[in-house]
Amino acid sequence: MRPNNGQTESQNASRRYGEVLHVRFSSVELERLRAMADGESVTVSEVVRRLVRTEAGFLPAATGELRPSIEEATDQLRRVGVNFNQAVRAMNEGRVPYDEDLERALIAIGELVRRFREELKAMIARPRKRSEVKA
């Protein structure tokens, strides 16, 4: 487990997500959200975030058996990105013949790999665990 370097759970969430949105729910809606959160041992915020991400077309959170496969794919994409960067660097340093079209293609593919990797990383981001109920 990673040390939190004195940061509270709220500070970590602020760094990870950045923005805050205040939303009003009916008592029935909120009770259903709380039941979902209890069932998954996560915060209500995490449940709402997952629902919004799914509705907005983002990839869903990877849980259970899928998680190791997504982690492996994320690592493989990191390696692919490193290889693309090395190819562009070799071209820029003159170690291989320069080809403007090839450079543009490598940069574009590298950007796609980076964006897809970020999507996959969002799928495996560790949700905040629900803290004990305050007395």
Side-chain angles (χ1 to χ4, degrees):
M1 186 173 206
R2 284 183 265 160
N4 67 6
N5 298 326
Q7 292 182 323
T8 66
E9 205 49 46
S10 178
Q11 288 170 325
N12 287 334
S14 294
R15 184 176 45 104
R16 184 173 38 226
Y17 299 114
E19 301 294 327
V20 175
L21 175 67
H22 298 277
V23 180
R24 295 183 188 277
F25 292 103
S26 71
S27 59
V28 173
E29 292 168 334
L30 188 56
E31 187 54 40
R32 286 195 183 162
L33 288 171
R34 285 183 178 141
M36 291 170 71
D38 288 344
E40 297 182 35
S41 298
V42 297
T43 63
V44 172
S45 293
E46 182 63 26
V47 170
V48 171
R49 188 176 305 104
R50 288 177 182 178
L51 292 170
V52 169
R53 287 182 56 81
T54 299
E55 191 64 27
F58 289 97
L59 295 171
T63 57
E65 295 176 9
L66 183 60
R67 186 178 190 82
S69 297
I70 298 298
E71 288 172 341
E72 176 63 25
T74 301
D75 187 55
Q76 291 297 324
L77 283 173
R78 181 191 59 77
R79 293 175 190 190
V80 168
V82 167
N83 289 340
F84 278 115
N85 286 338
Q86 289 174 347
V88 171
R89 188 174 302 119
M91 194 180 304
N92 288 337
E93 292 173 353
R95 290 184 278 142
V96 295
Y98 179 78
D99 183 315
E100 185 177 344
D101 291 336
L102 179 58
E103 180 184 37
R104 279 199 308 268
L106 287 172
I107 290 170
I109 292 169
E111 179 60 21
L112 288 173
V113 167
R114 185 197 63 75
R115 287 190 353 224
F116 189 57
R117 182 171 176 251
E118 291 302 315
E119 289 274 337
L120 290 177
K121 283 172 49 179
M123 289 179 70
I124 58 173
R126 298 274 182 205
R128 288 177 53 204
K129 295 287 184 189
R130 209 168 154 189
S131 59
E132 295 299 317
V133 177
K134 297 175 185 170

